[in-house]
Structures are given as structure tokens and as C-alpha cells.
Amino acid sequence: MKNGLYIAQFGTALDEASGVIVINYDTVMGGDSGMYYSGSIRRRDDRVEVEMTVHRHNPVSQSVFGDFDAFTLKLSGKAKGESYQFEGRADAAPSLSFRATLTPVAD
């Protein structure tokens, strides 16, 4: 996965949202209108594994997992053309599957 700015489109069965993600070597940071996220990336062959902590910064917003102030999200994905497709789960709502698409922002 290349360093840079990505548009993130993601969701669960409860809700969908979008935001931005910055990849800088083994670090991921980003946010949307209600949450901010930070974590780490590991590359394994053709797969990318991400573990991030998500925090609420807007008290009237909910995450796509529901009404949580903070949680850990674990994702696994791989490249699909220029974009990356991810699936995963949050520790706060393990029964909900999460999906995300990261698309690089063109310079």
C-alpha cells in the first residue's frame, strides 16, 4: 500500500459513512464528521492488515457500529486495481461485519 491520502467509504449493516485516511509507512490516521482514527499497518504478501483505534470527537455523532465513544477496529484487505478493499470487525460490536474501500486521491 502506497503512502498518501485516500478517500474512505465504509459501512456495516447499520450505517454507511465516508472520510479520509492518510497512510504514512506503517501508520494510518484519518477521520470523518464524527470520529477520528489512528493505528498501524502490516503488509503480508498481497494482503494488508490494519489495527486502529476509533474515537468519537463529535458528541452527537454515532459510528457505523452504533453509539460508542471508542473502540478497536481490525481489518484485512488487498488491492483491487488502484483501490483497496477491506473487511473486519470492531471489538465493541463483534457481530457486525465491516467493509471499506480506500481510493487514492490523485495529485
Side-chain angles (χ1 to χ4, degrees):
M1 188 166 203
K2 295 180 182 177
N3 291 339
L5 179 64
Y6 291 79
I7 301 297
Q9 296 175 300
F10 51 90
T12 64
L14 295 178
D15 201 2
E16 294 185 359
S18 62
V20 294
I21 295 281
V22 175
I23 303 297
N24 187 23
Y25 298 101
D26 294 335
T27 303
V28 58
M29 295 178 286
D32 57 50
S33 63
M35 313 298 280
Y36 68 90
Y37 4 100
S38 62
S40 61
I41 299 171
R42 285 190 303 177
R43 294 160 181 85
R44 293 183 179 220
D45 300 319
D46 68 336
R47 302 215 45 94
V48 178
E49 295 177 2
V50 177
E51 183 170 335
M52 65 174 72
T53 304
V54 179
H55 295 274
R56 181 181 358 218
H57 67 78
N58 182 342
V60 297
S61 291
Q62 288 190 30
S63 78
V64 296
F65 292 98
D67 192 18
F68 299 104
D69 288 332
F71 55 89
T72 298
L73 182 59
K74 293 182 180 181
L75 307 171
S76 179
K78 63 182 186 175
K80 186 172 183 179
E82 291 289 311
S83 298
Y84 287 82
Q85 301 285 324
F86 288 91
E87 294 181 347
R89 299 199 184 271
D91 63 349
S95 64
L96 284 175
S97 67
F98 176 86
R99 68 203 173 288
T101 300
L102 300 184
T103 305
V105 174
D107 292 331

